[in-house]
Amino acid sequence: MTIALQDTPFDPGVLLAFFSRGRTETGAIVTFTGIARADGGKSEVLELEAYPGFTEGEIRRIAEEARVRFSLHDLMVIHRVGKIKPGAPIVFVATAAGHRREAFEAADFLMDYLKSKAPFWKKEHGPAGEKWIEPTERDHADVARWDG
Amino acid sequence: MAKVLLFGPLRDIAGWREKDVRANTVAELKAALTAEDAALGAALNGKGVQVAIDQRIMRNDTGLRANAEVAFLPPMSGG
């Protein structure tokens, strides 16, 4: 299981190649890559702040839950911090399982958690100044699907 | 002495990210910060602000060991 924050850009293709290597019992790998949006020109730079150590620990706790719940063979979460320009990857999630359903669902579950509850603070810098962003109603509704 | 860390909007309100403050409890710490900066004090007591001591969220004021790391975490944005 790999959980990491980094303040430099990453290449999702390279991460997938690394994650896939040497697996002979894994029938399915699903990846998700989140990209910074320009939001019609409103966002010029997205700034993500984490609490180093604490943020990885919280993500690891949910990742462990996902590993057990979806019988994963392995998973990877790479998250950018710092200043990110539109078009650049923000987050990469990969899940490995025996079969595709578990791998798809685990990636979906992890992303719903990351988008709504993970300890990040996000600021959008745009032509109108800077603004702190909070999760949307949709983000909350997405993560609530996994309860109960 | 406790090492105080501020995140997200709290950092913008205070104008700093990290500071050493003399305090034996979280309540003392908040009082010291409020005496310096009333706007920050109000924000620390704002809705949804959680306190982590040595990287663990604490709901009660258990007191601070020497050199404790006290982080004020405003509502999280998600990634």
Side-chain angles (χ1 to χ4, degrees), chain A residues 49-54 79 114-115 117-123 130 132-133 135, chain B residues 5-9 11-12 17 52 55 57 69 71 73-79:
Chain A
E49 186 183 14
Y51 180 5
F54 177 83
H79 213 297
L114 287 166
K115 285 296 291 180
K117 292 187 173 168
F120 290 99
W121 296 274
K122 190 160 56 178
K123 191 191 251 183
E130 40 180 71
W132 289 98
I133 309 284
Chain B
L5 302 177
L6 301 180
F7 290 92
R11 164 170 51 97
D12 283 354
R17 178 188 292 263
Q55 303 215 339
I57 301 272
E69 181 176 286
L73 310 175
M76 293 155 188
S77 310

Side-chain angles (χ1 to χ4, degrees), chain B residues 15-34:
Chain B
W16 50 269
R17 178 188 292 263
E18 185 177 328
K19 182 181 270 196
D20 288 332
V21 177
R22 196 174 295 281
N24 295 312
T25 63
V26 174
E28 273 183 40
L29 185 65
K30 281 187 179 176
L33 292 172
T34 304

